[in-house]
Amino acid sequence: MPYKFTVPTGWKWVEWGSYYYYNDETHVATPPKPLDVTVDDKVLSFELDTHLNSKGTDATRLVFSVLVEPVAGTKPDVYKDGQAVVGKDGQALLPVKTALWGITQ
């Protein structure tokens, strides 16, 4: 299954992160696995054989962990133009929103 994450305006990718399965009933997560990604400007993309509730090692939720940070000059605000596209031809388009509350050193 192809995935494409587009970082919102004013943000950049810091780390490509990992994914894991989380079981809502037992509150147990599988060990995180690193993502093998391609980064093209603001788009992070990868392919992953994902599944939920199909065998003992998966669970009710698939969780992705990726890190972004604001680029120089980004003002505190809410940026809503990021997106996550799941599947071929954008079968599922999910909005991504980031908020910058203040600048920290």
Side-chain angles (χ1 to χ4, degrees):
M1 172 96 42
Y3 290 82
K4 287 185 180 180
F5 294 146
T6 303
V7 70
T9 298
W11 296 81
K12 67 179 181 177
W13 296 110
V14 178
E15 291 184 25
W16 316 142
S18 59
Y19 71 98
Y20 63 92
Y21 291 96
Y22 182 82
N23 190 313
D24 291 320
E25 295 172 8
T26 63
H27 306 291
V28 173
T30 62
K33 297 177 186 165
L35 291 169
D36 181 17
V37 303
T38 301
V39 179
D40 180 17
D41 192 24
K42 292 179 63 165
V43 178
L44 180 145
S45 59
F46 55 93
E47 295 225 358
L48 193 61
D49 180 20
T50 55
H51 42 79
L52 294 173
N53 294 319
S54 63
K55 57 184 180 176
T57 58
D58 62 12
T60 53
R61 283 193 278 158
L62 174 61
V63 179
F64 292 101
S65 175
V66 293
L67 298 176
V68 297
E69 69 182 13
V71 298
T74 299
K75 305 284 188 234
D77 201 350
V78 174
Y79 297 84
K80 299 180 181 180
D81 62 341
Q83 56 182 240
V85 177
V86 179
K88 294 179 178 152
D89 302 322
Q91 294 168 340
L93 179 63
L94 310 169
V96 174
K97 178 173 74 170
T98 59
L100 179 61
W101 301 107
I103 304 297
T104 59
Q105 296 295 328

